Amino acid sequence: KERTRFIEGLMSDDGINQINRLFGTLAKTDVEKAKASVESDRIDILQIVQKEVGYCKFNNVVSGLLKQWAVDSVLAEVETGGIDLKDDNSKKRHAKLLSKAGELLLDIGGHWYRGLSMVQEALVINEGLYERKSTHIAQSLYLAGKALWMIRNYGEALKTLKEAVDIFESIHGREHEGVAKSLYFIGWVLNKKGEYDEALKMFREALKIQETVFGTDGIETTKAQGNIAMILVNEKKEYDEALKLNELNLAIQEKILGREHPNMAMTMNNIATILGNKGEYEKALEMYKEVLVIREKVLGNDNPRTKVTRRNIANRTRAINKVARRKSWMRR
């Protein structure tokens, strides 16, 4: 029954986004503030959580179990759904299921080859049902390109994503979500190939379209802005614009996701890094401390990113002390 409801939700137009929001909500849930109809039950449950995995790791454990259940559910549904494809309607439903399931596996991570196989199978079915220039074909190509990028097959990814852009644009015009998403991953491909100027161009164009489609304060715009900032920092050393973009992202993310969210911590970490590169060590240190508070609570004390944040705090503290000693020496 639960699997049936899950698959029905997945197949809805906003299914993938709903599931990703669920995982995001789990990541920021404060276990200690959880409620129960019977207070003694709440106390007993919290004691078990603290004893077995600890509050910090609980969200990750639950999220991991839910993701595994989701993977098992879609694999089982895909297997049974492909048994009897007797007419066009059953083929259309199965192609949609393959696309949705493949996209979910790509987003969850760790299942890239299986996800690629599913979206490629969906593409083959759609090619038998629709003309080449159709939204169904374009969506399948976009997902295949995304998967190919994930497995580092950059040449095929670029070719596939460019065809997706051409089809989306021929049907819907340039200012369309499908065009923006495809350009976004073309930017990633070019970035991995070391073509930073072209990657920056793609990210900027994707951002422009996303702002038209979703608005300037939508969560989708933060992805392109973050990638533009990444190239500006790592390859262009243009810290001022990168800082501005990350600060815009932070405001949008806090409004939509809340303060205690992994994406918030990532953006704050980016800001701290830029501040450090600009020599503003005290501001960078304070930002890293805020990042640490979030990551300890959301990811746990032993998470690799939490440990990196502690090292960043130690490094910035040493840098501040070094500057202070130098100034003290110069005053003598």
Side-chain angles (χ1 to χ4, degrees):
K1 185 177 180 180
E2 288 80 6
R3 191 182 95 181
T4 300
R5 289 180 178 177
F6 174 75
I7 296 298
E8 288 174 353
L10 176 66
M11 294 286 281
S12 67
D13 292 339
D14 196 40
I16 293 293
N17 290 332
Q18 290 181 29
I19 292 169
N20 286 333
R21 282 196 292 270
L22 171 61
F23 293 147
T25 300
L26 282 173
K28 64 177 183 179
T29 299
D30 192 337
V31 180
E32 293 183 80
K33 295 180 180 178
K35 297 180 180 179
S37 56
V38 180
E39 179 62 18
S40 59
D41 289 346
R42 189 185 79 87
I43 294 173
D44 289 342
I45 291 171
L46 289 179
Q47 286 178 343
I48 293 172
V49 170
Q50 180 63 5
K51 180 180 178 181
E52 295 297 327
V53 296
Y55 295 134
C56 292
K57 294 182 180 179
F58 180 75
N59 290 347
N60 287 338
V61 172
V62 173
S63 181
L65 290 172
L66 181 58
K67 287 178 180 179
Q68 187 57 54
W69 177 84
V71 169
D72 293 341
S73 295
V74 296
L75 292 179
E77 187 69 17
V78 165
E79 184 176 347
T80 57
I83 293 175
D84 187 19
L85 303 179
K86 56 187 177 182
D87 54 34
D88 283 355
N89 286 334
S90 61
K91 291 177 182 178
K92 288 177 181 178
R93 185 190 183 281
H94 192 58
K96 183 177 181 180
L97 173 62
L98 286 166
S99 294
K100 293 282 189 176
E103 187 172 7
L104 179 63
L105 294 184
L106 295 177
D107 288 348
I108 286 178
H111 305 275
W112 298 330
Y113 286 94
R114 192 62 184 269
L116 173 60
S117 176
M118 286 184 180
V119 298
Q120 287 178 328
E121 186 178 348
L123 176 59
V124 171
I125 296 174
N126 283 331
E127 285 174 333
L129 294 169
Y130 306 100
E131 295 181 358
R132 190 67 179 177
K133 288 191 174 182
S134 71
T135 301
H136 295 87
I137 297 292
Q139 179 66 11
S140 293
L141 288 168
Y142 155 70
L143 290 174
K146 176 180 176 180
L148 288 164
W149 168 76
M150 287 179 167
I151 64 170
R152 302 182 181 182
N153 188 341
Y154 301 132
E156 284 300 311
L158 190 59
K159 176 183 175 182
T160 304
L161 289 164
K162 284 183 176 179
E163 186 177 1
V165 169
D166 290 341
I167 297 175
F168 275 128
E169 187 173 7
S170 69
I171 299 170
H172 304 287
R174 192 68 171 176
E175 294 181 346
H176 183 265
E177 177 185 2
V179 175
K181 292 192 299 184
S182 300
L183 289 174
Y184 174 82
F185 277 100
I186 288 175
W188 268 117
V189 172
L190 294 170
N191 179 65
K192 289 295 184 180
K193 288 166 66 69
E195 300 176 25
Y196 304 117
D197 289 333
E198 287 300 310
L200 196 57
K201 180 181 176 181
M202 291 298 105
F203 286 140
R204 289 191 189 279
E205 190 168 358
L207 175 60
K208 182 180 178 181
I209 298 171
Q210 287 171 336
E211 287 178 336
T212 300
V213 176
F214 300 108
T216 57
D217 58 351
I219 198 67
E220 290 297 324
T221 63
T222 65
K223 297 178 181 179
Q225 286 177 168
N227 290 330
I228 291 170
M230 173 192 68
I231 294 178
L232 290 173
V233 170
N234 295 338
E235 310 304 331
K236 301 292 185 179
K237 312 303 179 188
E238 296 178 10
Y239 300 128
D240 289 338
E241 184 184 355
L243 181 60
K244 181 180 178 181
L245 287 169
N246 275 295
E247 288 174 340
L248 286 172
N249 278 358
L250 194 64
I252 295 170
Q253 290 170 339
E254 185 167 12
K255 180 181 178 181
I256 298 174
L257 304 175
R259 191 73 173 175
E260 294 176 350
H261 191 278
N263 289 359
M264 281 286 293
M266 178 65 72
T267 302
M268 292 166 71
N269 186 80
N270 293 340
I271 291 173
T273 300
I274 295 170
L275 290 170
N277 289 337
K278 286 167 61 69
E280 300 180 29
Y281 300 130
E282 290 84 358
K283 290 182 180 180
L285 179 59
E286 291 306 309
M287 187 63 75
Y288 278 131
K289 288 179 179 179
E290 289 189 59
V291 173
L292 182 62
V293 170
I294 297 174
R295 284 182 168 170
E296 284 182 338
K297 188 166 189 177
V298 176
L299 302 179
N301 293 320
D302 297 328
N303 185 275
R305 289 185 176 178
T306 306
K307 293 179 179 179
V308 168
T309 306
R310 290 199 191 95
R311 288 199 296 270
N312 288 336
I313 289 173
N315 290 337
R316 285 295 162 234
T317 301
R318 283 195 294 270
I320 291 170
N321 292 337
K322 184 177 180 180
V323 170
R325 287 195 299 271
R326 185 184 298 120
K327 288 181 178 179
S328 177
W329 179 82
M330 291 175 68
R331 286 195 295 266
R332 293 179 183 176

